Amino acid sequence: MQVFERTTECGLINEQNLDKRVCITGWVHRRRDHGGLIFIDLRDRSGLMQLVFNPDFSKGVHENAHKLRSEYVIAVCGTVVERSTETVNTELSTGKWELQVDELIILNSAKMLPFNLEDANVVDEELRLKYRYLDLRRPEMHKKFALRHQVIFAMREFLNSEQFYEIETPILTKNTPEGAREFLVPSRMHPGSFYALPQSPQLYKQILMSAGMEKYFQVARCFRDEDLRADRQPEFTQLDLEMSFIKEADVINIIERLFTYLFKKVFGKELKTPFKHLTFDEAFAQYGSDKPDLRFGLDIHDATSLFKDTELKFLRAVVDKGGKIGALHARSHDFSHTELNKWVDKAQKLGAKGLLWIHIKDENKIVSPVSKFLPEDFFARAQKVFPTIARGSVLFLVAGQYKPVWEVLGRLRLALAQEMKLIAKGEFNFAWITDFPLLEFDAKEKRWNSMHHPFTAPQHGWENKEPEDVKARAYDMILNGIELGGGSIRIHDRQTQEKVFDLLGLSKEQVQQKFGFLLEAQELGFPPHGGIALGLDRLLMLMTNSSSIREVIAFPKTARGYDVMMEAPTSVDTEKLRDYGLKLLPQVKD
Ligand code: ASP
């Protein structure tokens, strides 16, 4: 057995190593056999280094190098020499040098890979996930995970400097109602009873405040057994925190300072604080969403007044029924007639019943499928609603009930912005959405649900309001149109908590059974407190400019919630189920 000691790393080789002997290890990244000379790009975590095997220099080693193939794991020693000027690679940090190899040890061979690492961006994602270790070997992926590490490390550094304690909370727990369905875990010791995996550490972190911990955080794993939508994962990571004796502004302030620290540390970038604040009602009225992308304008306008005496039947019907006409005003973009008609189909795909476009060719020339129904002074009237209307402007109108119409316009706004290339790349646009409604009505179940969760404190004076008018002491943080997370000031007294449970239609027995411990704690010296949780995977997706959160999770599940590498979940035989007191029902096919 040859003795080998690694003296440096591929990507660290520099001027100082010139003419010196070094020993490095890694994977064969690329191999070029130039008749006599064999060139290998050797890759380790730190980068690439070019190796040269020269028969004139070391015959035996050169012969051995013929065996090398992609992804062989090798150790080499040799002398660092300068490359000839024509062969300098300016894209590599080590591109000025090469290693004249005099010793080669093959640590392990590799069969032909199921996909070429350089093609990973075009191969089927399931294949990448099945061989995730190969996929993760790629320098591009290494960069993402290095950044993930730096981000989490910087968060810990900052929160530590702010006297937060990092405290772990149980994974095997009881369900906390946060709107999603939970995973259940049977246990041999408790046949017939189940643990639930936490949707978040919500109740534990509140209880930690009762325990006097005052400032808690956790890089917490959360589990939700949801029907998976495009970019959801059954398990994901949050930066979860909670503080005592604070108000909304304190949580907002600590998070802004945390992000300022983080972006400076990781990107050397100065974030502008305070971040923009919008109330839920403002955000919805302007952008048709509670997580608007604020990197561009294209606000929604209420154009109902413009059509109050219209003869157009379908608009008339909407106005008469107390509905609304919402509009987007697109400027400085050349839309052809055909394109405008295509937007009608697109709007329908986004959920609109119809879309009406009005193209202002100039003040006196207005083109629209309904132009003959528009009043002669339409331009002058429109100026009142759209002050910047001008030649070339296009109005996109949707009519109906306020909420659904504004939601559609919100989606249309995003689609138009993409088409019109209004979204600046490389920008991080943070904002806070505040003053959320406490409750939302579930029309199907005919009952009120918490918009955030049932532990969120209502705003002052709520007892005298109708449920739909009660606002919560809740806030969401958004980044580039994505909800990074949210939190709230919590209820800390039993009376308020019981009233909220009552509004949610929970019976005394249900409350006692589910939350008895919380109500009891609220009577044993519970301090006022509040907190927030931020989705780390989403944040990292945005920070690394990745197309999905799966790109920044080391071992994500597929869109169907399947771990293709481990092949989980997997069936369990009857025998084993019996240990848990379980029996499977016949599968129902849908
Ligand atoms: N537990 C909440 C969530 O996961 C966040 C919070 O209220 O702190 O969304």
Side-chain angles (χ1 to χ4, degrees):
M1 179 77 189
Q2 281 156 291
V3 187
F4 172 85
E5 203 148 335
R6 185 188 203 184
T7 61
T8 182
E9 293 169 31
C10 297
L12 301 185
I13 287 177
N14 61 30
E15 208 82 52
Q16 262 130 48
N17 299 110
L18 193 59
D19 300 326
K20 304 228 168 77
R21 195 162 189 276
V22 299
C23 294
I24 52 181
T25 52
W27 286 260
V28 173
H29 188 65
R30 246 179 248 124
R31 171 181 177 281
R32 295 177 302 281
D33 199 332
H34 281 196
L37 299 177
I38 296 172
F39 292 95
I40 299 275
D41 286 340
L42 188 66
R43 183 192 75 237
D44 67 10
R45 201 178 79 165
S46 64
L48 293 175
M49 177 67 192
Q50 174 161 293
L51 314 178
V52 201
F53 297 85
N54 186 338
D56 299 337
F57 188 71
S58 184
K59 200 158 187 321
V61 171
H62 178 266
E63 233 153 64
N64 216 4
H66 274 297
K67 294 188 203 136
L68 298 180
R69 294 290 174 273
S70 266
E71 298 306 304
Y72 269 42
V73 188
I74 60 172
V76 287
C77 296
T79 311
V80 176
V81 296
E82 255 170 356
R83 294 200 202 180
S84 60
T85 356
E86 331 75 80
T87 59
V88 164
N89 181 347
T90 49
E91 273 163 33
L92 276 189
S93 65
T94 59
K96 279 197 210 150
W97 308 283
E98 57 194 14
L99 190 74
Q100 187 82 254
V101 180
D102 59 42
E103 200 182 331
L104 162 69
I105 306 170
I106 299 179
L107 298 171
N108 211 343
S109 60
K111 286 192 195 156
M112 176 87 142
L113 300 194
F115 61 90
N116 188 340
L117 298 194
E118 302 200 15
D119 298 337
N121 284 329
V122 292
V123 304
D124 183 42
E125 194 183 3
E126 292 222 358
L127 190 65
R128 285 176 58 200
L129 293 179
K130 181 165 160 68
Y131 297 98
R132 188 61 162 175
Y133 47 93
L134 297 179
D135 188 36
L136 288 175
R137 265 185 213 169
R138 298 185 294 130
E140 189 187 327
M141 295 304 269
H142 275 207
K143 265 199 217 139
K144 295 187 186 196
F145 286 90
L147 190 92
R148 187 173 176 117
H149 163 74
Q150 284 162 7
V151 165
I152 296 177
F153 189 70
M155 285 175 163
R156 287 198 157 107
E157 266 179 339
F158 175 81
L159 292 168
N160 177 55
S161 74
E162 295 283 332
Q163 285 82 47
F164 278 77
Y165 290 160
E166 180 168 4
I167 303 176
E168 294 153 273
T169 54
I171 293 295
L172 293 179
T173 178
K174 181 166 155 172
N175 82 317
T176 59
E178 296 195 46
R181 263 176 288 184
E182 69 264 10
F183 287 97
L184 292 177
V185 184
S187 150
R188 285 177 304 110
M189 313 242 279
H190 307 279
S193 293
F194 298 84
Y195 294 104
L197 301 184
Q199 294 183 34
S200 90
Q202 185 60 35
L203 285 171
Y204 284 110
K205 69 174 174 174
Q206 290 192 228
I207 295 290
L208 284 171
M209 295 302 104
S210 172
M213 296 296 172
E214 294 200 18
K215 290 178 174 187
Y216 140 97
F217 86 94
Q218 182 177 192
V219 178
R221 195 63 68 82
C222 304
F223 305 87
R224 298 184 187 178
D225 189 11
E226 286 290 281
D227 298 336
L228 295 163
R229 281 194 246 138
D231 211 14
R232 290 265 174 100
Q233 283 283 301
E235 53 180 307
F236 57 93
T237 310
Q238 285 186 342
L239 174 71
D240 192 45
L241 60 89
E242 198 75 7
M243 300 155 82
S244 295
F245 310 115
I246 44 96
K247 51 192 180 315
E248 291 86 331
D250 299 302
V251 179
I252 287 178
N253 179 270
I254 200 112
I255 296 296
E256 289 189 355
R257 287 192 293 116
L258 165 72
F259 273 78
T260 310
Y261 178 82
L262 182 67
F263 272 67
K264 179 89 189 149
K265 178 114 202 233
V266 175
F267 286 155
K269 212 179 170 100
E270 300 286 348
L271 287 186
K272 263 200 233 113
T273 54
F275 300 153
K276 190 168 185 176
H277 283 227
L278 281 171
T279 66
F280 172 85
D281 290 340
E282 285 165 349
F284 195 76
Q286 266 176 276
Y287 307 107
S289 163
D290 59 359
K291 39 179 182 293
D293 192 333
L294 301 175
R295 287 175 295 177
F296 60 95
L298 206 63
D299 304 17
I300 304 174
H301 295 258
D302 184 346
T304 320
S305 63
L306 199 53
F307 294 92
K308 64 177 187 305
D309 37 43
T310 183
E311 287 157 28
L312 275 161
K313 267 205 198 121
F314 67 102
L315 292 184
R316 183 75 272 143
V318 168
V319 176
D320 288 348
K321 270 197 244 139
K324 292 263 177 208
I325 301 165
L328 294 169
H329 172 202
R331 285 182 299 155
S332 318
H333 188 83
D334 247 344
F335 285 104
S336 70
H337 200 106
T338 335
E339 273 169 340
L340 288 171
N341 283 333
K342 276 197 192 136
W343 279 99
V344 177
D345 298 335
K346 283 191 198 162
Q348 277 166 349
K349 284 203 187 94
L350 296 173
K353 289 220 182 75
L355 175 83
L356 181 62
W357 55 262
I358 300 177
H359 194 172
I360 315 288
K361 292 279 189 187
D362 66 44
E363 282 189 32
N364 302 315
K365 187 161 178 230
I366 293 173
V367 180
S368 165
V370 298
S371 48
K372 57 176 189 289
F373 296 97
L374 297 175
E376 267 183 24
D377 59 347
F378 181 79
F379 186 83
R381 289 193 197 201
Q383 260 179 329
K384 297 208 178 88
V385 182
F386 311 96
T388 54
I389 197 165
R391 226 183 141 129
S393 284
V394 179
L395 303 178
F396 293 96
L397 301 142
V398 182
Q401 291 304 308
Y402 176 61
K403 200 165 170 269
V405 164
W406 256 243
E407 278 170 356
V408 163
L409 284 167
R411 294 194 281 269
L412 190 62
R413 174 179 174 266
L414 290 177
L416 277 169
Q418 299 239 347
E419 171 77 20
M420 295 166 69
K421 306 209 171 22
L422 297 180
I423 308 174
K425 291 245 154 60
E427 187 186 328
F428 290 95
N429 196 319
F430 289 94
W432 293 101
I433 309 296
T434 62
D435 302 273
F436 279 84
L438 184 74
L439 305 163
E440 61 190 344
F441 195 67
D442 182 335
K444 222 155 100 209
E445 303 279 328
K446 296 206 175 28
R447 62 182 170 95
W448 291 100
N449 286 333
S450 297
M451 193 139 175
H452 192 46
H453 51 56
F455 320 109
T456 299
Q459 290 186 2
H460 189 68
W462 70 286
E463 289 99 332
N464 309 320
K465 292 194 170 141
E466 291 301 317
E468 62 268 35
D469 296 328
V470 177
K471 296 279 196 253
R473 296 184 69 183
Y475 31 80
D476 270 4
M477 187 187 188
I478 57 169
L479 170 56
N480 295 354
I482 288 183
E483 180 195 326
L484 271 190
S488 59
I489 302 300
R490 327 293 182 189
I491 297 167
H492 65 276
D493 67 289
R494 179 172 183 143
Q495 243 186 357
T496 312
Q497 188 68 74
E498 280 183 331
K499 277 193 209 155
V500 169
F501 284 147
D502 190 45
L503 261 180
L504 296 172
L506 292 172
S507 70
K508 287 231 152 28
E509 294 69 44
Q510 282 171 319
V511 169
Q512 192 49 40
Q513 192 235 341
K514 287 189 172 164
F515 308 112
F517 71 97
L518 177 70
L519 295 174
E520 198 175 1
Q522 283 169 342
E523 289 186 311
L524 295 171
F526 217 22
H529 62 288
I532 192 164
L534 299 168
L536 265 177
D537 309 308
R538 284 189 194 170
L539 173 66
L540 280 150
M541 173 180 89
L542 295 173
M543 288 179 85
T544 56
N545 203 8
S546 299
S547 53
S548 123
I549 59 170
R550 295 189 295 279
E551 294 293 297
V552 293
I553 297 174
F555 299 103
K557 310 273 188 290
T558 62
R560 289 174 295 113
Y562 193 64
D563 180 334
V564 253
M565 188 181 77
M566 294 280 194
E567 301 185 342
T570 179
S571 58
V572 169
D573 58 40
T574 323
E575 200 89 327
K576 200 151 190 195
L577 283 175
R578 204 173 297 138
D579 288 350
Y580 294 84
L582 294 175
K583 198 169 157 201
L584 285 185
L585 292 173
Q587 296 273 337
V588 188
K589 287 223 170 70
D590 48 19

